[in-house]
Amino acid sequence: MKNYDPVRENFSEFYEKWVWNLEEIFHQLLEVSRKRNEMSEAEMQALVNRVTSHVKEYYTVKWGLAHQDVLVFFSPTWLSPLENAYSWITGWKPSAIFRLLLKKGHDQKIMFEMTEEQQRKVEGLRVRIKMEEEKVEREMERHQVALADPKMLELAKLCSRARNGGGGGGDDAVARVDGYVEVALKGVVAGLEKVMKASDCVRLKALKGVLDLLGPVQCVEFLAAFIAMQLRLRQCGKKRPEMDAGSIK
């Protein structure tokens, strides 16, 4: 019988609804982009604000549930294997959004024209975000390496000896060692929650930073492309299992 995992189940249910609303917002962005000449800047900004509110809702729910069980977000079952393959510390990689803006080469289509000042500021933001990504990656690496710390290895040996009866002390020894293990694991989990939040903060900083540098029309077009990238990856990820199942028949 499959064990009930409340955090996983609750977030999976939330995420399905959240993506459905994201698709609805995406179509509104496309519609506004087509009718840009008929729309006021205030109307376009209102839609941009709706997108940012929707994104904030995602992280509010994520952080709340992650505090209960952060490990769920490092092995998300609500995402396809393809989406997981492109994941960077429980989400999209912040520097990826700059490829939508700073496409290079004569054969690359530019999303929209930017002033020289905008291009300069976007490039500066890209460099800063890249540095923050690397900082988070170093912190994640530090936590991974910490698992091989001599103290952790010694604790694993103590746990093994206690459970096999080699250390003496019977049930009291097992309970005492289990207490040490629980304390150590709490430290590991707390560290992972901190890294997850740090990676999310870089994502939010990158998105807000870009939007702050663009005009209302540019924001609408950028957000449409950004959301399309995420939805396309999700659609491709869902199609892959169907194609594999079809090839087996």
Side-chain angles (χ1 to χ4, degrees):
M1 184 178 177
K2 187 177 180 181
N3 293 329
Y4 176 65
D5 186 337
V7 172
R8 193 178 298 276
E9 294 293 333
N10 288 341
F11 193 80
S12 294
E13 182 179 350
F14 161 77
Y15 188 71
E16 286 299 321
K17 294 177 181 177
W18 187 85
V19 171
W20 189 89
N21 288 328
L22 186 67
E23 291 176 351
E24 181 181 312
I25 292 173
F26 171 63
H27 291 300
Q28 290 180 5
L29 287 166
L30 294 179
E31 184 67 17
V32 168
S33 181
R34 283 193 292 267
K35 297 180 177 179
R36 70 185 73 178
N37 295 328
E38 305 171 24
M39 309 285 291
S40 68
E41 287 194 355
E43 289 174 313
M44 287 186 280
Q45 188 59 51
L47 182 55
V48 171
N49 291 342
R50 185 186 172 192
V51 176
T52 56
S53 295
H54 192 59
V55 171
K56 287 177 183 176
E57 179 192 15
Y58 171 86
Y59 289 106
T60 299
V61 174
K62 179 183 180 182
W63 289 6
L65 289 173
H67 191 62
Q68 299 176 43
D69 185 2
V70 70
L71 298 180
V72 165
F73 294 90
F74 283 88
S75 56
T77 53
W78 53 87
L79 299 180
S80 67
L82 181 63
E83 289 173 287
N84 280 324
Y86 281 91
S87 179
W88 178 80
I89 311 180
T90 77
W92 51 273
K93 193 163 189 176
S95 56
I97 66 174
F98 295 98
R99 296 179 184 178
L100 297 172
L101 294 170
L102 302 173
K103 292 185 175 180
K104 300 177 181 179
H106 297 295
D107 57 339
Q108 295 281 11
K109 183 180 178 182
I110 299 175
M111 187 188 306
F112 46 72
E113 293 294 333
M114 289 190 292
T115 65
E116 289 186 7
E117 184 180 7
Q118 281 181 314
Q119 292 181 41
R120 178 177 56 78
K121 289 182 177 180
V122 167
E123 176 58 21
L125 178 64
R126 184 193 68 80
V127 172
R128 293 194 299 274
I129 291 299
K130 184 63 178 176
M131 291 174 64
E132 294 200 29
E133 277 184 353
E134 292 172 351
K135 182 180 178 181
V136 173
E137 287 170 349
R138 287 195 298 271
E139 185 65 14
M140 184 66 186
E141 182 180 6
R142 188 179 72 81
H143 284 285
Q144 291 172 329
V145 172
L147 290 176
D149 184 271
K151 292 181 181 179
M152 293 294 287
L153 295 175
E154 184 60 30
L155 186 58
K157 291 178 183 178
L158 282 174
C159 185
S160 179
R161 284 201 296 268
R163 292 189 179 283
N164 292 328
D171 292 341
D172 289 340
V174 173
R176 187 166 57 252
V177 172
D178 282 349
Y180 297 151
V181 171
E182 184 177 352
V183 170
L185 287 178
K186 281 184 178 179
V188 171
V189 169
L192 288 175
E193 184 179 358
K194 183 179 178 181
V195 171
M196 183 205 75
K197 286 186 176 180
S199 67
D200 286 342
C201 284
V202 180
R203 278 183 271 272
L204 289 169
K205 189 178 292 185
L207 186 59
K208 183 180 184 301
V210 168
L211 294 176
D212 285 347
L213 296 176
L214 303 178
V217 176
Q218 292 173 322
C219 284
V220 167
E221 294 189 6
F222 166 73
L223 287 171
F226 172 65
I227 294 173
M229 179 178 68
Q230 294 180 305
L231 295 178
R232 194 177 305 119
L233 184 62
R234 184 163 182 79
Q235 289 167 356
C236 290
K238 283 187 172 183
K239 286 181 180 179
R240 180 62 188 271
E242 294 173 0
M243 291 172 63
D244 291 343
S247 64
I248 294 174
K249 293 180 181 179

